[in-house]
Amino acid sequence: MIRPVLWRDNAVVLIDQNALPQQYRRVVCTCYHEVIAAIRDLTVRGAPAIGVAAALAAAQGAQGLSGLPPEEFAGKFNGICAEIAASRPTARNLFWALERMKETLAALQAAGSKNPARGLLAEARRICAEDIEINRRIGREGCALIDDGDSLLTHCNAGALATAGYGTALGVIYAAREAGKKISVFVDETRPVLQGARLTAWELKKEKIPATLITDSMAGFLMQQGRIDKIIVGADRIAANGDTANKIGTYSLAVLAAAHGVPFYVAAPVSTFDFSMKTGAEIPIEERAAAEVTGFRDTVVAPKGMQVYNPAFDVTPASLIAAIITEKGVIAKPDARRIGRLSKGDKNK
Ligand code: MRU
């Protein structure tokens, strides 16, 4: 299985997602500062994967605090978590994982733990292992929505690479294939960072799932021709009313899907929901460097000094989403009421 984030020999070991697909190599982060840099520069990316990397980074930082009195340990640990939290603003899973780590420390200290750093590492590894299990459940829940012979479209990479393993949107596709359904996938290249062309294309090829790469602007034409049965994407943060932030370009796809009567699905773990935000308007949208838009890597295409706007995510209104697929069930026609049941732990149908 593709495992983009691992703990090995006191280091956070990542698949270098900037090197794929030309090179498959691992990056070894021996201190939490290196993990922060890897999150920032997209060596590790995708909301759940960022959350797992953040938890392991926090645990790694805690190793250096061993022996400190509880209050000082907690103060310094919270400081480390704040540094990690500043790496990227949009993916809810990053903050969710760090909150869980801080709560774990509080519980360990309340129980009089002599070695909280060890307990924190165990918790971070649990977050990693749980993520794979959650994705498999998302896959099983979403599988029912996919029909034999479906032609699907996905955007960005919400696959194994974007999680601890297996994937969310691609997890549903893998589960459908495991259930014996014959499916094919159109892969949006996903300008400007090309997560679709580089990462989803690589994953689907590796998994031997029939896939065709298109540029983002071709999706509407394919829908008009009736060549897309369903769209399935991941999410970076979902507000309490179901508005969903995901990779830039997702909103345009959802509008096109509505215009052509194509069901538009979001697959995400419960940890991606932000129940503190009433609507998507509150979701912070990351803006990234101009160089991502003026060219790709060493190739510059725009004139020097060109003004650029580069939001990395957009928000799709819940009204355009046919269903949100979670590990706790499928939320059809998501709205605040149906999602509210999820926050209370009920299974949503
Ligand atoms: O900028 P990225 O590559 O981190 O953006 C990733 C996405 O938008 C994914 O679709 C999202 O995080 C879901 S990953 C399961």
Side-chain angles (χ1 to χ4, degrees):
M1 194 205 287
I2 299 166
R3 298 286 311 274
V5 194
L6 293 170
W7 178 262
R8 196 182 288 154
D9 302 331
N10 286 323
V12 181
V13 181
L14 307 169
I15 294 177
D16 183 352
Q17 300 196 33
N18 285 320
L20 282 173
Q22 281 75 24
Q23 274 187 62
Y24 177 90
R25 66 172 183 231
R26 294 261 179 197
V27 171
V28 178
C29 302
T30 53
C31 70
Y32 74 91
H33 294 106
E34 289 175 1
V35 182
I36 293 174
I39 294 173
R40 281 212 175 105
D41 75 8
L42 309 183
T43 298
V44 59
R45 35 70 46 205
I50 293 172
V52 171
L56 289 171
Q60 192 174 36
Q63 311 284 302
L65 308 178
S66 291
L68 291 180
E71 219 166 285
E72 204 180 335
F73 190 114
K76 293 221 157 98
F77 184 71
N78 289 346
I80 289 169
C81 288
E83 280 182 70
I84 300 168
S87 56
R88 289 189 79 188
T90 305
R92 169 66 192 148
N93 308 61
L94 170 72
F95 306 96
W96 169 86
L98 292 170
E99 279 157 24
R100 183 161 149 181
M101 292 298 283
K102 285 192 271 186
E103 281 162 18
T104 300
L105 177 62
L108 286 164
Q109 290 191 327
S113 166
K114 294 267 171 294
N115 193 348
R118 192 171 57 200
L120 286 166
L121 178 57
E123 184 68 6
R125 297 183 82 167
R126 235 181 332 265
I127 289 174
C128 183
E130 279 173 13
D131 187 62
I132 299 174
E133 189 40 47
I134 286 168
N135 294 333
R136 287 196 181 278
R137 268 187 260 151
I138 291 173
R140 284 195 290 274
E141 293 285 345
C143 180
L145 300 170
I146 309 295
D147 293 309
D148 191 28
D150 267 353
S151 167
L152 306 166
L153 173 76
T154 191
H155 189 68
C156 194
N157 172 266
L161 287 168
T163 62
Y166 200 69
T168 56
L170 293 194
V172 172
I173 290 172
Y174 297 147
R177 200 261 309 262
E178 283 160 28
K181 297 178 188 180
K182 287 203 171 51
I183 39 175
S184 55
V185 185
F186 282 102
V187 178
D188 261 5
E189 67 170 348
T190 318
R191 275 285 291 156
V193 180
L194 305 183
Q195 289 93 333
R198 295 184 301 108
L199 307 175
T200 299
W202 179 79
E203 257 197 71
L204 293 178
K205 225 164 173 277
K206 198 168 154 58
E207 296 296 335
K208 299 194 171 46
I209 292 187
T212 305
L213 180 64
I214 57 169
T215 68
D216 303 338
S217 52
M218 295 171 188
F221 178 59
L222 284 174
M223 286 184 233
Q224 194 180 43
Q225 290 185 318
R227 294 179 65 185
I228 310 284
D229 297 309
K230 278 145 206 167
I231 297 177
I232 182 157
V233 299
D236 281 83
R237 193 185 294 234
I238 303 174
N241 70 342
D243 291 353
T244 295
N246 190 50
K247 179 54 56 195
I248 192 76
T250 302
Y251 169 57
S252 320
L253 273 184
V255 172
L256 283 164
H260 294 93
V262 175
F264 185 90
Y265 297 117
V266 171
V270 174
S271 53
T272 300
F273 286 77
D274 188 338
F275 301 107
S276 77
M277 294 189 171
K278 277 202 174 120
T279 75
E282 293 173 61
I283 298 175
I285 300 295
E286 176 182 14
E287 279 184 42
R288 294 188 61 86
E292 288 182 354
V293 176
T294 52
F296 186 72
R297 304 267 161 91
D298 294 335
T299 308
V300 179
V301 292
K304 214 169 171 226
M306 185 66 201
Q307 191 172 303
V308 166
Y309 176 48
N310 184 18
F313 302 95
D314 58 27
V315 178
T316 299
S319 58
L320 296 177
I321 300 170
I324 302 178
I325 306 157
T326 78
E327 72 275 28
K328 294 199 171 171
V330 175
I331 310 168
K333 298 196 185 102
D335 61 14
R337 189 180 55 83
R338 294 193 180 97
I339 289 171
R341 283 194 224 138
L342 184 74
S343 72
K344 292 185 194 86
D346 295 351
K347 194 171 161 84
N348 280 255
K349 287 280 178 190

